[in-house]
């Protein structure tokens, strides 16, 4: 089905027709329409037009209003102030548009006309290291952007650039060679993520202690790095064991986060090893990079260190080793050349902004990025504790992500349990809903803040039933579902002939903007705009529910059917919008 034109776009079109009828000399002028608290919409494009035509804006506005033929969309147009138009749409137009949205699986949300291919780099844990609170935002924001972009018609390729290479593997592999049973599992059954991580942790600490205290082991470990980089088979096989063991753990954490991370999408730093030398050769031969004190560097006029001297991007060190820049540039070559990306989206901590600015500029100079292919860093801020400082445990350690998620689920389960008897939930439903509410709370707290800002991790606030939380939205959804359980033989049906109450109009006009908000969130990589829209939707629904009876006291049949249409569309919009943020909406809460 074709997308449903929003009321705003229909009003915009009628106004534009009126403008060109009244003022043919205006050409195709933009009425500059926006939502207003004085009427449904306000248009203030006539002010600019009057300036251009050297006319009186109020007179021009009156001319335009007179030039618009009577129609079923515009109820009233009032000229106000120096030439603004305050526009009220008919109740009939609202109901007809909502009925068209309700008849469509996509709720009338259009596909982006010029959709391309976005490679999105997110959720990047490190092999043999525990995931901590700092890994949360990349995963949550990235997963939401995958859903939002795919829904608007973009082809999305996921990439998880895990840290699976580097000098620390020499130490780990050498230790495993000398203590061959350290990664063995006690049971033959399936290994849990927790079990995998605890053996990796133990091995990491033991090898680190030995590396720091035993010079001979340190020498053997460094020689092992050379073997790894040269692809020596036994060394590579042991390296692979670390990667596989870590994946058991990663996938268990992503599973807790209710995220779908697929094996083929995990292409770590090691995935680009074969390209590094060629990347350096291309950059050096094209003059993009130059040798400086033996290292291969790219210089920038506007990037200076604290001493005022230019700070280069080092692509290859003077000892021949490759840095992160070589890997990141090779990944760009792969994503543009092989994956045919038109956009590269990096969901990476804001503290790496300078690195990515230099990498992207280097790729532009090399011709890998251009007017057709762009790279964007979706930079995010830090997770803070309630005290407003970076989130740490009481002992000053970084908080383990698993502990955080488990605690959120525990808190949420007790919130669900308190209300469970009233709804008649089984123990299985309480446990399942506790997971959906707890994980939803963590994701929503992250996504409802603009990514660039830091946010406070406050579980009490996150699982609260009041305020801007996912639980509030989940309860709104479940409440609507319960209405349909009591509706009997009444079904959602549009009655455009009915006059609407103020709360019905407010809810209807908001429902109608869902498509625009989704497109904006996709275009600006701003999932917080979708979260804000959904919170407002739930708030408007609460007002509607209080003021406009749907079941009791029983309204006339046609009024009940029209209100059920509003309920149905609200529930589906909440369900779809929350799914785009990666949050589930239980039917009963």
């Amino acid at each position: 089905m074709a997308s449903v034109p929003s009321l705003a776009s229909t009003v915009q079109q009628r106004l534009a027709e009126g403008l060109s009828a009244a003022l043919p000399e205006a050409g195709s002028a933009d009425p500059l329409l926006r939502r207003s608290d004085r009427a449904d919409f306000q248009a203030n494009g006539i002010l600019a037009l009057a300036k251009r035509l050297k006319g009186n804006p109020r007179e021009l506005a009156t001319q335009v209003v007179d030039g618009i033929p009577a129609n079923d969309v515009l109820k009233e147009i009032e000229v106000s102030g120096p030439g603004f138009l305050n526009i009220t749409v008919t109740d009939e137009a609202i109901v007809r548009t909502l009925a068209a949205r309700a008849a469509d699986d996509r709720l009338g949300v259009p596909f982006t006309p010029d959709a391309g291919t976005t490679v999105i780099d997110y959720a990047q844990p490190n092999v043999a290291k525990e995931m901590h609170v700092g890994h949360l935002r990349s995963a949550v924001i990235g997963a939401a952007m995958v859903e939002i972009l795919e829904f608007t018609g973009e082809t999305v390729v996921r990439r998880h650039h895990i840290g699976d290479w580097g000098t620390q593997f020499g130490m780990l592999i050498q230790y495993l060679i000398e203590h061959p049973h350290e990664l063995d599992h006690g049971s033959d059954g399936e290994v849990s993520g927790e079990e995998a991580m605890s053996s990796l942790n133990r091995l990491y600490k033991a090898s680190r202690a030995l590396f720091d205290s035993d010079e001979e082991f340190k020498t053997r470990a460094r020689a092992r790095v050379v073997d790894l980089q040269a692809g020596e088979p036994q060394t590579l096989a042991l390296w692979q064991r670390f990667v596989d063991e870590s994946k058991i753990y990663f996938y268990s954490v992503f599973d807790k986060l209710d995220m779908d991370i697929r094996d083929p999408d995990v292409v770590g730093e090691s995935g680009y090893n074969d390209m590094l030398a060629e990347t350096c050769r291309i950059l050096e031969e094209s003059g993009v990079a130059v040798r400086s004190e033996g290292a291969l560097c790219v210089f920038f006029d506007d990037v200076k260190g604290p001493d005022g001297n230019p700070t280069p991007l080092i692509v290859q060190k003077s000892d021949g080793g490759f840095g992160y820049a070589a890997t990141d540039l090779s990944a760009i070559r792969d994503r543009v050349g092989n994956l045919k990306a038109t956009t590269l989206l990096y969901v990476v901590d804001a503290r790496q902004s300078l690195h990515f600015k230099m990498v992207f500029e280097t790729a532009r100079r090399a011709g890998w990025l251009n007017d057709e292919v762009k790279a964007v860093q979706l930079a995010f801020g830090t997770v803070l504790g309630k005290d407003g400082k970076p989130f740490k445990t009481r002992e000053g350690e970084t908080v383990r992500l698993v502990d955080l998620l488990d605690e959120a689920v525990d808190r949420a389960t007790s919130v669900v349990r308190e209300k469970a008897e009233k709804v008649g939930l089984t123990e299985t439903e309480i446990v399942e809903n506790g997971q959906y509410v707890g994980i939803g709370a963590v994701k929503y707290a992250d996504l409802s803040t603009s990514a660039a800002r830091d946010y406070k991790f406050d579980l009490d606030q996150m699982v609260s039933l009041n305020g801007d939380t996912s639980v509030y939205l989940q309860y709104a959804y479940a409440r609507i579902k319960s209405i349909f359980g009591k509706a009997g033989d009444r079904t959602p049906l549009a009655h455009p002939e009915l006059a609407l109450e103020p709360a019905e109009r407010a809810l209807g006009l908001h429902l109608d903007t869902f498509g625009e908000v989704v497109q904006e969130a996709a275009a600006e990589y701003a999932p917080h705009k979708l979260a804000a829209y959904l919170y407002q939707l739930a708030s408007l629904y609460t007002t509607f529910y209080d003021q406009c009876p749907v079941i009791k006291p029983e309204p006339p049949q046609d009024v009940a059917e029209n209100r059920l249409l509003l309920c149905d569309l609200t529930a589906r919009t909440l369900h779809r919008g929350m799914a785009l943020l990666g949050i589930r909406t239980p039917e009963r809460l």
Side-chain angles (χ1 to χ4, degrees):
M1 179 171 169
S3 66
V4 177
S6 68
L7 282 166
S9 63
T10 307
V11 170
Q12 173 102 354
Q13 196 186 341
R14 298 286 155 93
L15 284 181
E17 288 162 4
L19 267 169
S20 47
L23 307 162
E25 65 274 32
S28 56
D30 185 349
L32 296 177
L33 193 71
R34 59 186 183 82
R35 286 297 303 275
S36 164
D37 48 7
R38 293 215 167 77
D40 295 334
F41 298 98
Q42 186 176 70
N44 45 22
I46 290 175
L47 298 177
L49 189 61
K51 213 171 188 176
R52 209 174 82 207
L53 299 177
K54 303 195 173 21
N56 175 323
R58 245 192 109 85
E59 283 171 18
L60 282 183
T62 311
Q63 253 178 289
V64 170
V65 173
D66 293 342
I68 296 173
N71 60 72
D72 57 357
V73 176
L74 304 176
K75 181 181 179 184
E76 190 185 347
I77 307 179
E78 173 204 32
V79 178
S80 90
F84 298 125
L85 299 181
N86 287 338
I87 299 146
T88 306
V89 294
T90 62
D91 291 353
E92 180 187 347
I94 295 175
V95 176
R96 284 194 190 286
T97 303
L98 296 182
R101 288 195 179 285
D104 178 29
D105 283 346
R106 290 177 55 79
L107 306 173
V109 177
F111 287 107
T112 308
D114 50 356
T117 297
T118 295
V119 174
I120 175 163
D121 187 326
Y122 69 109
Q124 312 103 341
N126 293 313
V127 165
K129 285 196 181 157
E130 194 141 25
M131 288 175 74
H132 55 78
V133 67
H135 290 110
L136 181 66
R137 299 205 73 184
S138 172
V140 169
I141 296 167
M145 282 317 310
V146 168
E147 297 299 329
I148 291 168
L149 289 168
E150 283 190 331
F151 189 62
T152 58
E154 188 77 2
T155 302
V156 177
V157 182
R158 308 147 184 237
R159 276 292 173 268
H160 308 292
H161 192 86
I162 63 171
D164 66 352
W165 204 248
T167 51
Q168 77 276 18
F169 282 100
M171 171 184 94
L172 293 166
I173 293 166
Q174 189 59 37
Y175 189 86
L176 191 57
I177 287 172
E178 296 173 19
H179 304 81
H181 299 298
E182 282 298 302
L183 280 185
D184 294 355
H185 295 294
S187 60
D188 296 336
E190 207 170 294
V191 181
S192 73
E194 198 67 22
E195 199 183 332
M197 194 63 239
S198 80
S199 52
L200 285 166
N201 255 341
R202 195 179 59 243
L203 197 147
Y204 190 89
K205 282 178 181 157
S207 63
R208 181 89 245 176
L210 198 57
F211 188 85
D212 292 341
S213 63
D214 182 334
E215 281 303 318
E216 288 177 1
F217 176 75
K218 189 181 274 187
T219 308
R220 294 196 296 278
R222 287 190 169 142
R224 189 59 60 187
V225 176
V226 179
D227 292 340
L228 177 64
Q229 288 171 341
E232 191 275 317
Q234 183 206 9
T235 307
L236 268 185
L238 290 171
W239 167 80
Q240 190 63 50
R241 275 194 72 184
F242 281 102
V243 173
D244 293 342
E245 194 76 9
S246 299
K247 279 184 175 178
I248 296 172
Y249 162 71
F250 295 157
Y251 294 160
S252 74
V253 178
F254 290 127
D255 201 40
K256 251 187 220 290
L257 270 168
D258 196 13
M259 259 178 214
D260 176 24
I261 304 275
R262 305 176 204 142
D263 213 51
D265 302 334
V266 179
V267 182
E269 294 167 3
S270 64
Y272 306 100
N273 284 345
D274 295 349
M275 300 175 71
L276 301 178
E278 192 185 6
T279 296
C280 291
R281 183 180 60 72
I282 294 170
L283 292 173
E284 191 168 11
E285 284 178 5
S286 61
V288 172
V290 292
R291 292 278 164 194
S292 172
E293 297 171 26
L296 186 61
C297 303
V298 184
F299 287 92
F300 308 88
D301 293 338
D302 59 341
V303 181
K304 304 236 182 345
D307 56 1
N309 291 329
T311 303
L313 181 71
I314 299 173
V315 187
Q316 189 177 21
K317 301 173 199 157
S318 51
D319 65 3
F322 300 105
Y324 287 125
T327 309
D328 286 333
L329 288 162
S330 299
I332 290 177
R333 280 178 55 213
D334 174 60
R335 292 165 184 184
V336 174
N338 299 327
L339 301 176
K340 306 291 180 237
T342 47
T343 304
L344 304 176
L345 183 62
Y346 291 78
V347 188
V348 184
D349 191 315
R351 286 170 292 195
Q352 294 188 45
S353 294
L354 179 61
H355 168 77
F356 279 101
K357 179 184 167 190
M358 292 159 83
V359 165
F360 295 163
E361 176 55 32
T362 301
R364 263 192 291 277
R365 291 179 189 177
W368 304 325
L369 297 176
N370 49 45
D371 293 345
E372 277 74 56
V373 186
K374 62 173 181 170
V376 183
Q377 183 192 356
L378 203 180
F380 55 82
T382 309
V383 181
L384 308 173
K386 280 188 194 179
D387 58 1
K389 296 185 179 134
F391 202 12
K392 300 270 196 244
T393 63
R394 286 211 181 104
E395 296 72 46
E397 299 281 315
T398 312
V399 180
R400 295 171 69 220
L401 185 51
V402 174
D403 294 343
L404 207 69
L405 300 178
D406 287 345
E407 193 184 343
V409 170
D410 286 348
R411 291 278 189 93
T413 306
S414 54
V415 169
V416 172
R417 197 177 289 287
E418 274 169 35
K419 296 205 162 213
E421 206 172 308
K422 202 168 153 194
V423 194
L425 295 182
T426 65
E427 184 59 29
T428 313
E429 284 177 308
I430 291 172
V431 170
E432 190 173 84
N433 287 353
Q435 297 231 273
Y436 295 157
V437 171
I439 298 303
V442 171
K443 289 182 178 178
Y444 186 84
D446 192 319
L447 295 168
S448 56
T449 307
S450 159
R453 290 174 50 192
D454 300 343
Y455 81 98
K456 284 186 187 174
F457 196 95
D458 179 350
L459 271 178
D460 296 327
Q461 171 56 35
M462 288 180 189
V463 298
S464 162
L465 298 173
N466 304 315
D468 188 1
T469 65
S470 66
V471 196
Y472 176 68
L473 302 181
Q474 286 167 323
Y475 267 104
Y477 177 78
R479 181 195 286 170
I480 303 174
K481 284 296 182 186
S482 74
I483 287 178
F484 281 98
K486 301 170 193 154
D489 57 357
R490 282 166 293 186
T491 53
L493 202 58
H495 287 278
E497 72 285 356
L498 289 175
L500 297 176
E501 296 287 335
E504 292 174 298
R505 294 187 98 251
L507 179 59
L509 285 165
H510 189 68
L511 280 166
D512 185 52
T513 58
F514 181 55
E516 288 161 27
V517 172
V518 170
Q519 284 190 300
E520 204 176 310
E524 296 173 21
Y525 309 123
H528 70 280
K529 293 199 165 176
L530 176 56
Y533 169 88
L534 294 170
Y535 173 59
Q536 204 185 342
L537 176 60
S539 306
L540 288 166
Y541 181 79
T542 303
T543 308
F544 158 80
Y545 182 78
D546 291 342
Q547 296 177 4
C548 305
V550 183
I551 307 293
K552 282 186 183 142
E554 194 169 328
Q557 176 93 4
D558 54 355
V559 173
E561 289 172 343
N562 215 34
R563 286 177 182 171
L564 282 169
L565 176 79
L566 278 167
C567 291
D568 177 55
L569 193 53
T570 301
R572 286 169 58 198
T573 305
L574 279 171
H575 176 72
R576 167 64 73 191
M578 294 287 265
L580 293 178
L581 297 178
I583 300 172
R584 295 193 189 241
T585 38
E587 303 280 307
R588 302 193 324 142
L589 256 185

